[in-house]
Amino acid sequence: MFVLKQITTVNDNFLYQYLKTDFFNREVLRNVEGGVRDYQFSTTILRELNLVYLRIEEQKKFADYLSSIDSKIDIESQLLHKFEKQKRYLLANLIYINKLANKYCFCLSNSV
């Protein structure tokens, strides 16, 4: 394990978002030694990666934008989970109510 020394020209949040990208992952896999499951990631490989450098102001804008998207995705995922839970509840109760209605329902057309 190694620790990256903080560079003042790289926004921490930008670096975090960048390390999560498919582009970065492809670069890592292209440069690592060993198989896909058992690779050695060293500082030498890190130095050889084609990293994208932007001005610090642009890094902050990108990082803030991507963080807000991450937050939005988290909120939407939570809402989706709650809606799915509500749907299961409603469907379960709908079946129960239909059973009760069929059991105790009298048809008016037959009584005339």
Side-chain angles (χ1 to χ4, degrees):
M1 179 180 199
F2 61 91
V3 177
L4 294 173
K5 182 179 176 185
Q6 183 172 353
I7 305 169
T8 56
T9 58
V10 176
N11 178 286
D12 291 340
N13 196 10
F14 175 78
L15 183 60
Y16 170 73
Q17 295 291 340
Y18 184 73
L19 294 176
K20 293 186 338 181
T21 64
D22 289 339
F23 174 78
F24 178 78
N25 288 317
R26 282 192 307 270
E27 284 293 303
V28 168
L29 289 176
R30 189 171 59 83
N31 288 294
V32 293
E33 302 165 0
V36 174
R37 292 178 183 225
D38 183 33
Y39 58 83
Q40 300 294 320
F41 189 77
S42 66
T43 55
T44 306
I45 292 172
L46 186 62
R47 286 187 198 111
E48 293 174 3
L49 293 176
N50 295 324
L51 297 177
V52 175
Y53 292 102
L54 302 171
R55 290 182 320 181
I56 194 74
E57 299 84 18
E58 291 175 339
Q59 290 178 25
K60 183 169 180 359
K61 286 180 186 178
F62 272 108
D64 291 346
Y65 179 71
L66 293 174
S67 292
S68 69
I69 290 174
D70 282 345
S71 296
K72 179 72 173 165
I73 290 170
D74 289 342
I75 290 168
E76 294 296 329
S77 295
Q78 291 171 10
L79 280 173
L80 178 62
H81 177 72
K82 289 179 181 181
F83 284 135
E84 287 171 343
K85 189 176 178 181
Q86 183 180 26
K87 176 184 170 184
R88 287 190 302 271
Y89 173 80
L90 291 172
L91 286 174
N93 285 321
L94 180 65
I95 292 169
Y96 177 72
I97 290 171
N98 280 337
K99 285 180 181 179
L100 286 177
N102 288 335
K103 185 175 182 180
Y104 297 107
C105 181
F106 298 104
C107 295
L108 295 176
S109 62
N110 290 341
S111 63
V112 176

